[in-house]
Amino acid sequence: MYLYHWVPREEIGNPVLRFPVKLMGPNTCRRDDPPSMKTISSACLAFFLLVTLAACSGGGEDERTWAEGAGNEDERPEEAVPVDVIALERGTIESALRFSSTLEAERDVQVLAEAQRRVVELRVEEGDNVRAGALLIRLQDDEQRSALTKAEIELRQATREFNRQKSLFEQNLVSEQVFNDAASVFDQAEIAVDDARRNLTYTEVRAPFAGVVTERMVNVGDFVTLNQPLFRIIDFDSIVARIYVPQKELPSLAPELAARITADAVGGESLVGTVDRIAPVVDPGTGTVKVTVAIPRQQGLRPGMYVEVELVAAVHDDALLLPKRAVVYDNDQLFVFRLADERRVERIKIEALLEDVNNIEPSSGLEEGDEIVVAGQASLKDGALVRLPGDPEPEEDGEDEDES
């Protein structure tokens, strides 16, 4: 059976078209036959009956299902985010500047030979502690001793002649020129004795300051030349660490500022030092200031050792301690989530007064005892519902349907 219709020309463009239809069998279909009004009424009635029956049989159930689903979605309970919290406490917090450095000794010297002679006696070995002026090595000195003896003899002769000419000059028995010549010879003889004594001292090499002999470079019998290195001596009381601090930290620096030194080579134990000097200029290339940290002699510390240096810029004894693991960073701003009523959280902006490795002291906004989210806060928003450890697990929809 086919359904045909004709639309009058004047009805084209009408948004609501009413047109006659005619139902005909496959062998009786004629498109150019105008239908009668009775035929049109019967066909329309049959068509609308078919549409109504189809809607009643299937469409109602689908619409009910969709409506029920939409209603369930609106009524679905808010899902709680699992988090962990910690109550804020008070304690001590330090503001420390941290740097890496290598230890060095400010009094570290190579002892050089001041005469070309052969080594005849060795007085110290590597590792020996020596005092200032202690004899380290003795060189062959026979020529120097002979020269000193000769200079002393000439000085005695010049002294006698000077005294004789002086006595004659005072009696007006010799001219002033003769007296001046005798005085000049006497002065030169004194200088010659001083030179001979100094050359003799060069054959005895002595420590320039108290310290430890860290290196010996000659043996007995060696012939040393002028300025040849003989020993290396280090004063372990002069060990320092030189660090380079950004210029913005200058207001927090001062001489005698406490410092902590940590070296893995000595078991990571924290050692004590102080700021000794602060350079008066800023390096224009790096924007840093050289700071010298003095470290008293302590067991195990050696020049060349790698260390970590902490300058303690400020200490607050009764500070509110906020764990850094609770902080959420948003650009340059810091936020935390505080647990509020009905298991909801509030987002709070904070500003740090001091901070150390683990904690921050907030300037305001938090109080002792506040419960702060320290785990699970990355996905939280202000006012979000949360679930703490120990809270009952939420029931799943599938389980509710099975039970029903």
Side-chain angles (χ1 to χ4, degrees):
M1 180 174 64
Y2 296 90
L3 179 65
Y4 293 90
H5 63 272
W6 289 261
V7 180
R9 180 177 301 173
E10 61 273 12
E11 292 295 328
I12 295 177
N14 188 351
V16 181
L17 296 179
R18 295 184 177 87
F19 48 82
V21 297
K22 179 179 182 181
L23 298 176
M24 292 183 287
N27 298 324
T28 61
C29 175
R30 294 179 56 189
R31 296 191 179 187
D32 53 348
D33 256 350
S36 66
M37 292 304 294
K38 183 178 182 180
T39 304
I40 292 172
S41 300
S42 301
C44 289
L45 179 59
F47 175 77
F48 285 112
L49 286 173
L50 289 173
V51 173
T52 303
L53 290 173
C56 292
S57 62
E61 183 178 355
D62 293 341
E63 292 177 358
R64 286 195 302 273
T65 303
W66 178 85
E68 291 175 359
N72 291 339
E73 184 176 354
D74 293 338
E75 297 173 0
R76 184 177 300 171
E78 181 181 359
E79 183 178 355
V81 180
V83 298
D84 194 7
V85 299
I86 188 173
L88 296 185
E89 299 178 348
R90 291 189 174 274
T92 301
I93 188 171
E94 296 178 341
S95 174
L97 307 175
R98 295 171 179 82
F99 306 91
S100 299
S101 182
T102 302
L103 297 182
E104 57 183 282
E106 292 199 301
R107 286 196 291 266
D108 180 351
V109 68
Q110 280 189 337
V111 181
L112 307 180
E114 297 179 282
Q116 300 186 56
R117 305 300 295 168
R118 191 174 302 280
V119 178
V120 296
E121 185 180 5
L122 191 64
R123 287 290 188 93
V124 295
E125 273 295 345
E126 293 178 356
D128 289 350
N129 288 284
V130 295
R131 67 181 187 278
L135 180 62
L136 306 177
I137 198 174
R138 191 186 299 277
L139 303 178
Q140 190 176 11
D141 60 359
D142 49 352
E143 291 184 6
Q144 284 80 2
R145 290 186 179 279
S146 297
L148 177 59
T149 301
K150 181 180 178 180
E152 289 175 343
I153 292 173
E154 292 177 352
L155 176 60
R156 288 195 293 269
Q157 292 176 347
T159 300
R160 287 195 296 268
E161 180 64 18
F162 171 74
N163 291 333
R164 190 174 69 84
Q165 294 298 333
K166 181 180 179 181
S167 177
L168 294 174
F169 177 72
E170 290 175 350
Q171 299 176 25
N172 294 323
L173 298 176
V174 295
S175 66
E176 184 177 357
Q177 180 65 40
V178 173
F179 172 72
N180 290 338
D181 291 343
S184 177
V185 172
F186 172 75
D187 292 338
Q188 293 178 10
E190 281 188 327
I191 293 174
V193 170
D194 292 339
D195 290 341
R197 285 175 178 167
R198 183 172 56 254
N199 289 333
L200 180 61
T201 61
Y202 291 160
T203 64
E204 295 182 344
V205 181
R206 298 181 180 274
F209 51 77
V212 178
V213 178
T214 61
E215 191 174 1
R216 174 175 61 83
M217 307 170 194
V218 293
N219 296 304
V220 175
D222 289 347
F223 186 87
V224 301
T225 58
L226 190 65
N227 294 329
Q228 177 180 335
L230 305 177
F231 298 94
R232 183 184 180 188
I233 298 178
I234 295 177
D235 180 7
F236 281 76
D237 288 330
S238 69
I239 289 180
V240 298
R242 303 191 196 278
I243 57 178
Y244 296 85
V245 180
Q247 56 184 339
K248 66 178 182 179
E249 304 293 348
L250 272 176
S252 62
L253 300 180
E256 304 301 324
L257 184 67
R260 284 193 296 263
I261 294 87
T262 306
D264 293 337
V266 293
E269 181 182 356
S270 181
L271 307 174
V272 179
T274 56
V275 172
D276 185 45
R277 298 188 303 277
I278 302 173
V281 296
V282 176
D283 186 339
T286 61
T288 59
V289 179
K290 183 174 71 172
V291 177
T292 302
V293 179
I295 307 170
R297 178 180 294 199
Q298 299 181 58
Q299 187 66 30
L301 292 185
R302 292 176 172 82
M305 187 175 291
Y306 179 83
V307 296
E308 298 288 339
V309 180
E310 290 185 353
L311 298 182
V312 183
V315 179
H316 291 177
D317 294 325
D318 189 29
L320 187 64
L321 302 182
L322 173 64
K324 282 187 173 181
R325 58 195 175 107
V327 177
V328 177
Y329 296 88
D330 187 357
N331 295 327
D332 294 333
Q333 296 180 330
L334 284 65
F335 296 90
V336 295
F337 288 92
R338 178 171 60 189
L339 186 63
D341 297 334
E342 299 180 354
R343 286 293 192 265
R344 294 193 177 273
V345 294
E346 51 184 340
R347 189 170 186 248
I348 299 176
K349 180 182 176 181
I350 62 169
E351 293 182 1
L353 289 178
L354 288 182
E355 62 178 287
D356 59 14
V357 177
N358 300 315
N359 299 304
I360 292 175
E361 181 187 8
S363 59
S364 61
L366 298 174
E367 297 179 356
E368 184 178 1
D370 285 348
E371 293 183 306
I372 303 299
V373 178
V374 294
Q377 69 270 32
S379 60
L380 290 180
K381 296 182 179 179
D382 190 27
L385 181 66
V386 297
R387 177 166 54 88
L388 303 182
D391 288 354
E393 295 285 341
E395 295 182 356
E396 298 182 0
D397 295 341
E399 294 178 357
D400 295 343
E401 293 177 1
D402 294 341
E403 293 176 359
S404 62

